[in-house]
Amino acid sequence: LSVYDRLRLLNNQLFITYQGSFQENNVEKDTKRDTRKINNTSFGVTFSPFSFLPSITARKGTVAQSLAARDSVGFDAGPDRNSSTFNIDLNHDIEIAGMNHNAAFSIGTRSTNLEGGLTKIDSVATEGTDTFFSVNSRFGFIPLRTSVQYAKYENITGANKPVNTTNFSIRGD
C-alpha cells in the first residue's frame, strides 16, 4: 500500500506533503506467514515563492523494518532497522539556450538503529550526513535527456569510525 497526498496553500506557493509506503513480503515456507514488514513515512513542507527563485523543502522521514522469521537454530533472520532522516532540499528549473535544466541540492542527517540479527549484537546505532547534487537536462525537440549526479554519504558507527561513500554518475537516455 502506498499513499501520497499534497496540500496546496498560498496560491500554490506552499505545499505540505505526506508520503507513506507499507509493505509485507517474504512468506515463510512452512507457516506461510509474512516475515518482513517495512513502513516508510515522510512529511514535507515546500515553499516556492517565485519562479525565478529555487524552491526550498524541509522533509522528515522514518523507516521501520522488522523481520519476524527465524532460522532453524532460532536466530533472527536479520536485524530490525529503524531509521530517521531530516533533509533540506533546494530545487530550481532553468532554461538556457532552449534546453530545460533542473538543479537539485540536498543536505540531510540520518540515524539508524539495528537490533537483533545473526551476529547476536544487541543493537548498533549509526548516524551520518548525506549531501546530494544533481542536474537533469532535456534538450528541447531532441529526444535526449541527461543526468549528472554527485552524492556523498558519511556514516559514523557506535565505534566512532567514519565510513564515507561517494557516488558520481552521468547518464543519458
Side-chain angles (χ1 to χ4, degrees):
L1 172 68
S2 291
V3 177
Y4 176 85
D5 202 3
R6 177 171 64 177
L7 179 64
R8 298 175 186 212
L9 302 169
L10 300 176
N11 207 19
N12 287 336
Q13 292 181 333
L14 182 68
F15 302 94
I16 299 174
T17 58
Y18 168 78
Q19 185 172 352
S21 173
F22 310 96
Q23 305 173 34
E24 292 185 14
N25 56 17
N26 290 346
V27 177
E28 194 173 72
K29 187 176 180 181
D30 297 331
T31 65
K32 308 290 187 223
R33 71 182 175 119
D34 291 328
T35 60
R36 179 183 307 217
K37 294 181 182 181
I38 303 171
N39 296 323
N40 184 355
T41 58
S42 171
F43 295 94
V45 176
T46 300
F47 183 59
S48 182
F50 304 104
S51 62
F52 60 88
L53 292 176
S55 64
I56 185 166
T57 301
R59 291 182 291 127
K60 174 76 174 145
T62 61
V63 176
Q65 176 177 331
S66 64
L67 300 174
R70 300 198 177 270
D71 67 12
S72 60
V73 182
F75 292 129
D76 289 337
D80 288 348
R81 184 181 84 184
N82 294 300
S83 298
S84 178
T85 61
F86 179 76
N87 291 74
I88 298 290
D89 306 333
L90 294 174
N91 201 321
H92 193 51
D93 293 320
I94 55 174
E95 183 179 334
I96 298 174
M99 296 178 285
N100 295 317
H101 307 279
N102 173 270
F105 175 76
S106 178
I107 189 163
T109 62
R110 172 184 19 81
S111 64
T112 301
N113 290 315
L114 302 173
E115 295 182 11
L118 291 173
T119 59
K120 288 200 159 196
I121 295 174
D122 291 332
S123 68
V124 174
T126 65
E127 56 185 47
T129 57
D130 301 334
T131 306
F132 176 83
F133 176 74
S134 72
V135 175
N136 297 296
S137 302
R138 295 197 78 121
F139 294 92
F141 64 91
I142 302 172
L144 176 63
R145 180 175 48 187
T146 62
S147 175
V148 177
Q149 298 180 343
Y150 171 81
K152 181 176 180 182
Y153 308 101
E154 177 186 69
N155 290 304
I156 299 174
T157 65
N160 289 324
K161 294 183 178 180
V163 177
N164 296 312
T165 305
T166 301
N167 297 327
F168 179 75
S169 66
I170 298 174
R171 179 180 159 188
D173 53 11

